[in-house]
Amino acid sequence: MESIYLTIAVAPLVGAIIAGLFGRQIGRAGAHWVTIAGVAVSCALSLYVFYQHVFNGVGTFNGSVYTWLVSDGITFEVGFLVDHLTALMMVVVTFVSLMVHIYTIGYMHDDPGYQRFFSYISLFTFSMLMLVMANNFMQLFFGWEAVGLVSYLLIGFWFKRETAIYANLKAFLVNRVGDFGFLLGIAMVLMYFNSLDYQDVFAAAPMMQDVTVQIIPGVDWSLMTVIGVLLFIGAMGKSAQVPLHVWLPDSMEGPTPISALIHAATMVTAGVFMVARMSPLYELSEVALSVVLIIGGITALSMGLLGLVQNDIKRVVAYSTLSQLGYMVVALGASAYASAIFHLMTHAFFKALLFLAAGSVIIAMHHEQDIRKMGGLRKYMPITYACFLIGSLALIGFPGFSGFFSKDSIIEAVRNSEIAGAGLVYLMVLLGVFITALYSFRMFFLVFHGEERMDEHTRSHLHESPRVVTVPLILLAIPSVFIGMLAIGPLLFGDFFQDSIVVLEQHDVLAQMGAGYSGVVGFILHGLAGPAVWLALAGLGTAWFVYMKRPDIAANLKERYDSFYDMLVNGYGFDAFNDKVFAGGSRWLGRTLWQVSDVKLIDGLVNGTARLVGWGAGIARQLQSGYLYHYAFAMIIGLSVLLSWIVLA
């Protein structure tokens, strides 16, 4: 099996290298075929590995592939840990990536950077696979940084646009903030555990539970709390949690296929996966769990509110990603790690579906993205319409769709949690359900229903997207409907994650929920008895009434609460604050250092020395007159002074 694991990881890398280095020789068709073939091989083998581990009982694989360095008894190596969690993530990453690769043929058909784009997205897939398959912190960090690097290249893919360059630089810098905390967390693991291997660290963690460190002299902190919070700072950057969320909406500057890949199956889910993988550490610190829980709740609610005022179709979907990531992080903080991974999986399918469906709309609208200039597309794009509807229903947690099972399990887990802050977070995620339905169906109705608001030229050319676009939509729509009901039993209430996730008995909220689980139908009926479903339906109904029947209500609310509306449009001022304090502060510091150290100190000292030498030379030059009697007179004066000094001495 080891050779299969290696092939899964390396196949997309081979495709990326060929398309990147030899794209001109193999042409556009060669570039997409070689990268699609590589990802298809990874997807097929991932499905085989999933089947072997889950259904045939193949045990966990934990082994080294390559030893890079041994220093002071510490081994730095490339190695794979393949258990049920890894197998599930491999299937999700490779399947969604394969759909995005196929879709890209249609979306990027006329782009001059065609081969380069395929090379990048295939490299992105390789990076994420190395991250999820890692069995040690060094390889985890390699995959972590690799997805960050490739996201920088992809967000700024259209590098002639200033907005794209600004967006990819912003993503890079914000993630460096999170990665600094992440690297400190790994350094503390290495310092106190003397190993980077997951197995060694997790086995020794219980013995470290009472160890304290002094970050501030005289103040003791739990080692496990410090490590947990530092690692989570990295997750806040990658998974775009407040306040490190600001890069994700701007990532829409990249082409739509990469928006789908970043938001659905790769970069933003890395932080959620990492915390779930580190459950043996987080379970030993309720403070760290509480931090995770509260940050997730704030993100879920606040980012959902921002989705209400967006008019760019991709940015609406982007803010829904931010909100749903908040739900996943909430589940992690409630120790419902399985629910977080379950929602990660279902979200990957329906969010990729929504992004690719939005891309289909953008193609039909000649790259117009403002939903206020759309309307009535249902009759022109029936397949895209049906897929968009399925994705939207899954997103809001409509009963029976995949998102219902995963999101409802998170809400129920938080309700049963006793972690500090759970009560307040429960109210946040409930309110978030209503808001999610409201902004999702605001977008849906404005795009596909109502009057046609596009210009006549665009209307005359409207038609359904080609099959290379619609087939991936249909293939993603199927799991968006059915995967939740098929997976809820084994993933949440079975022993699927028994070999991957550790939960202490006092934190095991899913065990409490499992005691009352009576099957898919029973779960749906239980959901209908709770508030979440009805809040989702209320949000859907409100969106229909306000934006289809009484659009004047939205205009009146915008005018009446203009200050609140402006605050939402400005994203609570995070960007303005960052631009003024951090970017502006950096520029001020640079100017100050230039004035003090460069102009006054260096230039002043160097130029001052030069001026002093020039002044002295000017004086000395006056002594060189060229007249003999001047020199004779100077010699007589000098001799007189010398004789006087000798006599007086």
Side-chain angles (χ1 to χ4, degrees), residues 577-599:
F577 177 82
N578 291 336
D579 286 342
K580 186 173 182 179
V581 175
F582 293 113
S586 298
R587 289 192 293 269
W588 173 84
L589 180 62
R591 285 193 300 268
T592 302
L593 291 176
W594 169 63
Q595 289 288 345
V596 173
S597 63
D598 198 32
V599 175

Side-chain angles (χ1 to χ4, degrees), residues 11-12 33-47 94 97-98 101:
W33 278 117
V34 72
T35 52
I36 289 174
V39 176
V41 168
S42 287
C43 184
L45 291 178
S46 295
L47 289 168
T94 55
S97 179
L98 180 60
H101 275 69

Side-chain angles (χ1 to χ4, degrees), residues 156-157 205 289 320 426 483 535:
F157 180 78
L289 288 175
S320 79
Y426 175 67
I483 197 69
L535 285 169

Side-chain angles (χ1 to χ4, degrees), residues 47-106:
L47 289 168
Y48 173 76
V49 168
F50 184 85
Y51 178 80
Q52 291 294 327
H53 278 262
V54 176
F55 296 102
N56 280 357
V58 172
T60 297
F61 174 84
N62 184 13
S64 173
V65 175
Y66 172 73
T67 300
W68 176 58
L69 177 68
V70 178
S71 176
D72 291 334
I74 301 170
T75 303
F76 300 86
E77 61 188 18
V78 177
F80 296 145
L81 171 60
V82 183
D83 51 17
H84 285 189
L85 174 59
T86 305
L88 178 64
M89 290 296 299
M90 288 159 58
V91 170
V92 171
V93 170
T94 55
F95 178 77
V96 173
S97 179
L98 180 60
M99 296 300 101
V100 171
H101 275 69
I102 296 171
Y103 176 94
T104 300
I105 296 174

Side-chain angles (χ1 to χ4, degrees), residues 56-363:
N56 280 357
V58 172
T60 297
F61 174 84
N62 184 13
S64 173
V65 175
Y66 172 73
T67 300
W68 176 58
L69 177 68
V70 178
S71 176
D72 291 334
I74 301 170
T75 303
F76 300 86
E77 61 188 18
V78 177
F80 296 145
L81 171 60
V82 183
D83 51 17
H84 285 189
L85 174 59
T86 305
L88 178 64
M89 290 296 299
M90 288 159 58
V91 170
V92 171
V93 170
T94 55
F95 178 77
V96 173
S97 179
L98 180 60
M99 296 300 101
V100 171
H101 275 69
I102 296 171
Y103 176 94
T104 300
I105 296 174
Y107 191 89
M108 301 291 288
H109 183 266
D110 298 321
D111 196 283
Y114 191 83
Q115 293 97 314
R116 178 166 56 94
F117 188 81
F118 272 97
S119 176
Y120 286 172
I121 59 175
S122 194
L123 184 61
F124 207 174
T125 306
F126 160 74
S127 302
M128 189 65 185
L129 286 171
M130 289 297 286
L131 188 155
V132 300
M133 296 173 70
N135 74 341
N136 62 84
F137 285 92
M138 188 201 77
Q139 186 177 327
L140 173 71
F141 189 71
F142 165 78
W144 195 268
E145 293 302 311
V147 294
L149 170 63
V150 184
S151 70
Y152 169 82
L153 297 173
L154 284 163
I155 294 169
F157 180 78
W158 286 320
F159 53 84
K160 293 184 180 180
R161 297 182 182 178
E162 289 188 11
T163 52
I165 298 302
Y166 176 82
N168 74 347
L169 183 61
K170 185 177 182 180
F172 190 82
L173 292 176
V174 171
N175 273 278
R176 296 290 70 73
V177 176
D179 292 351
F180 180 68
F182 188 63
L183 189 58
L184 287 178
I186 294 176
M188 290 200 72
V189 168
L190 180 60
M191 178 179 178
Y192 284 91
F193 290 86
N194 202 38
S195 175
L196 291 175
D197 186 85
Y198 289 165
Q199 189 174 32
D200 296 340
V201 173
F202 295 162
M207 295 179 286
M208 295 287 192
Q209 185 172 6
D210 298 326
V211 175
T212 59
V213 295
Q214 290 191 357
I215 306 298
I216 301 172
V219 180
D220 290 330
W221 291 73
S222 165
L223 172 66
M224 304 313 300
T225 296
V226 174
I227 290 175
V229 171
L230 287 173
L231 293 177
F232 181 64
I233 291 173
M236 288 171 64
K238 278 290 181 288
S239 293
Q241 299 297 290
V242 174
L244 301 182
H245 67 284
V246 292
W247 68 270
L248 193 58
D250 287 346
S251 70
M252 297 302 96
E253 290 296 331
T256 297
I258 195 53
S259 300
L261 199 54
I262 288 177
H263 286 245
T266 53
M267 184 168 173
V268 297
T269 60
V272 177
F273 165 80
M274 184 275 294
V275 176
R277 175 60 82 193
M278 300 299 148
S279 60
L281 305 182
Y282 280 93
E283 283 299 288
L284 301 177
S285 172
E286 290 201 359
V287 174
L289 288 175
S290 184
V291 170
V292 173
L293 180 73
I294 293 170
I295 293 294
I298 293 172
T299 303
L301 178 60
S302 61
M303 296 300 104
L305 286 169
L306 296 184
L308 291 172
V309 298
Q310 303 302 314
N311 295 312
D312 184 310
I313 187 172
K314 286 174 63 176
R315 290 181 78 89
V316 176
V317 184
Y319 277 106
S320 79
T321 298
L322 283 164
S323 182
Q324 297 309 303
L325 287 168
Y327 278 88
M328 297 176 209
V329 172
V330 162
L332 296 171
S335 289
Y337 306 98
S339 283
I341 297 300
F342 185 29
H343 195 51
L344 183 157
M345 177 189 69
T346 61
H347 176 266
F349 294 120
F350 65 71
K351 186 50 60 69
L353 174 61
L354 282 172
F355 264 114
L356 298 187
S360 179
V361 170
I362 293 169
I363 293 171

